[in-house]
Amino acid sequence: MATTGKTGAQEAAADNASQAPATVLVIHGPNLNLLGQREPEIYGRTRLADIDRSLKQLGRELGLKVETFQSNSEGAIVDRIQRARGSARVLVINPAAYTHTSVAIRDAITACELPTVEVHLSNVYAREPFRHHSTIAGIVVGRIMGFGAEGYLLALRAAKRLIEAEHAAAEA
Ligand code: DQA
C-alpha cells in the first residue's frame, strides 16, 4: 500500500474536505441507554434518543454528518472506535463508567488517531472520588462536563471548530 505520510485522520480530512460533510462519531457508554429514567436528579430527564436527534439536527446546521452509537459493552465500543479510523474526523465520547477503568478504550482512541472530545453529563468532580479519575483525560483534546445533555451539543460545536482548524492548517 502506498503511504502518503498522513495519519488516518488526515486522510479522512483530505477526503472530506473535497466533498462529503465531515463525520463526527458520538459514542455513549454503558447505562446511557437508560437516560431519562436512570437517576434523573443526576443525569436529567432527556432520553438518549432525544440527545441523538438534537445532535443530528445541530450537525445539519453545522454542515456535519453525525453518527451515534451506544453500547453497554467495552469490546463493542473498542470495535466501533476502530471502525471510525480513517472515516470519522472527530470522536465525541462519554465512556460513562468505563471512563474510570478502561485502558482498552483509551488505547483504541490513541490507535484511531482522531481528535477526541470527552463528555460527561454530570460534573464528576462533584461526585464520589472514584469518578475523579479518567483513563482518557490525558489523550483527549478537551473535556466537557456538568451541563447535562447540553454538553453533547457543546462538544459538537467544539468538534466543528477542530475540523475548521484542521482545514485552515491544511491550507496554510
Ligand atoms: C457519566 C459519569 C460516570 O461516572 C458514570 O459512571 C456515568 C455517566 C456522566 O455522564 O456524568 O455512567 O459519564
Side-chain angles (χ1 to χ4, degrees):
M1 194 176 79
T3 58
T4 59
K6 289 179 178 168
T7 65
Q10 285 168 336
E11 295 281 10
D15 289 349
N16 285 331
S18 51
Q19 353 122 12
T23 298
V24 176
L25 173 63
V26 181
I27 295 183
H28 310 284
N31 300 306
L32 295 176
N33 54 313
L34 297 180
L35 275 183
Q37 306 157 44
R38 170 195 184 207
E39 300 177 89
E41 64 289 355
I42 296 175
Y43 298 117
R45 299 202 175 271
T46 310
R47 292 171 313 153
L48 190 62
D50 296 324
I51 291 176
D52 286 348
R53 201 172 304 115
S54 304
L55 279 167
K56 285 178 193 237
Q57 171 63 39
L58 179 61
R60 280 190 290 275
E61 288 165 30
L62 297 176
L64 300 171
K65 180 175 177 214
V66 176
E67 291 180 1
T68 61
F69 177 79
Q70 189 278 330
S71 179
N72 295 328
S73 150
E74 186 178 25
I77 293 171
V78 168
D79 287 343
R80 187 65 190 88
I81 294 169
Q82 288 188 8
R83 281 212 308 282
R85 188 181 151 86
S87 63
R89 292 279 296 281
V90 177
L91 174 65
V92 171
I93 185 166
N94 180 351
Y98 290 137
T99 305
H100 316 301
T101 61
S102 181
V103 175
I105 290 175
R106 177 193 165 101
D107 285 352
I109 292 172
T110 304
C112 82
E113 300 179 319
L114 290 180
T116 298
V117 183
E118 179 180 350
V119 175
H120 299 285
L121 295 135
S122 63
N123 174 0
V124 291
Y125 294 104
R127 302 182 63 195
E128 303 95 321
F130 69 84
R131 295 186 202 275
H132 298 183
H133 175 68
S134 161
T135 63
I136 68 170
I139 56 158
V140 296
V141 178
R143 310 174 74 203
I144 296 172
M145 66 180 75
F147 296 100
E150 177 73 17
Y152 285 100
L153 301 178
L154 296 171
L156 191 58
R157 291 187 186 280
K160 173 75 178 174
R161 288 297 188 95
L162 291 172
I163 291 164
E164 284 171 350
E166 255 181 30
H167 278 161
E171 277 161 20

